[in-house]
Amino acid sequence: MSLQLQDTDAFAVFDFKWTAEALANIVDNAIKYTEHGTIRISAVSYEMFARIDISDTGSGIPETEQAKIFARFYRSKSVREQEGVGIGLYLSRQIISGEGGYIKVASVPGKGSAFSIFLPK
């Protein structure tokens, strides 16, 4: 597995401790569900916000479950053998929302997932 970090000059206003916690939860999931492949972390700055992207080449999430993964204690039947209680993505969304931002996910089963975090400037 490889981790790729893209250099950036993007900036945003956020609470370092809590935003790091939110990012760590998403990166932890990327590592947990990517047996072989790549995890990429990048950031882009826009006029009103910054976007942080965390993408992986892991198992992916079916479209029917993508809205559910942010629910407290949600665990897909397909990943029940993996360690976890289903609270990481819920907490990430709560933290980012509390900072005035939001999280989006795009995923294709068998090809990976991409989480985008939008933070205000």
Side-chain angles (χ1 to χ4, degrees):
M1 181 182 316
S2 70
L3 176 63
Q4 297 177 353
L5 303 173
Q6 178 185 354
D7 286 336
T8 184
D9 60 357
F11 70 94
V13 178
F14 55 86
D15 180 292
F16 181 81
K17 177 185 173 191
W18 288 110
T19 304
E21 177 74 23
L23 289 169
N25 288 339
I26 295 169
V27 171
D28 181 59
N29 278 357
I31 292 168
K32 190 184 309 183
Y33 300 117
T34 302
E35 191 170 322
H36 303 287
T38 304
I39 297 166
R40 289 182 183 87
I41 303 173
S42 61
V44 179
S45 187
Y46 296 96
E47 187 175 332
M48 302 290 288
F49 61 91
R51 185 185 81 217
I52 302 169
D53 293 320
I54 302 161
S55 62
D56 64 58
T57 56
S59 58
I61 305 160
E63 189 174 347
T64 56
E65 293 188 23
Q66 290 177 19
K68 299 174 188 177
I69 62 172
F70 295 103
R72 191 173 180 190
F73 303 121
Y74 179 77
R75 300 270 298 157
S76 172
K77 290 177 185 173
S78 64
V79 298
R80 296 255 165 96
E81 73 281 353
Q82 295 282 356
E83 195 175 305
V85 295
I87 198 157
L89 292 177
Y90 168 79
L91 288 175
S92 293
R93 178 172 266 181
Q94 293 297 107
I95 291 166
I96 299 303
S97 294
E99 295 181 318
Y102 62 97
I103 301 176
K104 289 175 55 175
V105 64
S107 188
V108 176
K111 297 198 180 222
S113 301
F115 287 81
S116 294
I117 298 172
F118 295 84
L119 294 167
K121 287 187 168 181

